Amino acid sequence: MEIKAIRMFDGGFMTQAFAFGGEEGKEAFDEQIIYRSSLQNFLIDTGSEVILVDTGFKSGTPAPAKKLGAPLYMGEPVADYMDAFAALGYKPEQVTKILVTHKHPDHSGALQYFPNAKIYISAEDADALKLEGDRIVRAQYGKPYKNFPNAQQVAEGIWLIEAKGHTKGNSIVVCEPGDGLCYMMHGDVTYCDAALKANKLSIVFEDLAAARETLDRVREFVGENPTVYLSTHCPEGYENLELKRVMKL
């Protein structure tokens, strides 16, 4: 089993107020302290299946502009999602499953390009996106995984896990490929690794209490299991993957 990063943007930044200010408010943090930002999603090649974790923006989506005072700038374009996917050596028809962490367009915009893929997504976010049809699989949570009470095993060594807060139907994905490590693809539970270490929520959430519970469970998981933390919005996401760097809190 192999996990690969699908890289779309790099060289960006986010302010500490954006990444840390969810509970205490932006005013409690320094707007001039910034962290690196990027955008990448992930692909899992099991040997018998090609599984995507999120799908980036729809092709042709304009790159977000760099603005003075912006709380988040994803960075300069590296590649369109579909071009970055193809550069890894795959074709859309090979993808069997897409695991969607949440409904936002930088995670769900390219679902339409994978004709043979079943799309696993929470019922709440499927409804929000108005997703219908035989390809849509509303997550059937109900079995525990480690310290998470609600999870669904979608393939050998791969779990889709209920992790509400960032959106009302937010999920995370954990992959155990057999090398003794857990690879956590968490969507936007945090926007940068520094926020995970500092135990801070971003200002982007739909349910603050649920987001706090999710972050607590993620930190507990990381503390109890050797975890490679694969972020979407900071370069540590692909760097941790390349180095198999285990998160230390």
Side-chain angles (χ1 to χ4, degrees), residues 4 22 28 97 117 189 239:
K4 302 179 182 182
K97 296 184 177 82
V189 170
E239 292 170 353

Side-chain angles (χ1 to χ4, degrees), residues 161-244:
I161 301 166
E162 185 179 68
K164 296 183 177 184
H166 181 64
T167 67
K168 292 179 180 178
N170 202 74
S171 305
I172 62 178
V173 176
V174 174
C175 178
E176 293 187 40
D179 61 357
L181 302 176
C182 298
Y183 294 77
M184 179 179 283
M185 291 151 271
H186 62 83
D188 298 343
V189 170
T190 61
Y191 273 80
C192 62
D193 287 16
L196 178 74
K197 294 177 180 179
N199 196 19
K200 300 296 184 183
L201 293 169
S202 82
I203 63 172
V204 185
F205 54 82
E206 292 185 347
D207 185 328
L208 181 57
R212 166 44 60 192
E213 180 180 352
T214 289
L215 183 56
D216 288 345
R217 288 191 185 279
V218 166
R219 285 174 52 84
E220 180 183 5
F221 182 95
V222 169
E224 295 177 349
N225 303 277
T227 302
V228 181
Y229 193 67
L230 301 182
S231 294
T232 298
H233 286 286
C234 65
E236 288 95 328
Y238 63 81
E239 292 170 353
N240 291 343
L241 179 61
E242 291 170 359
L243 297 171
K244 293 189 174 184

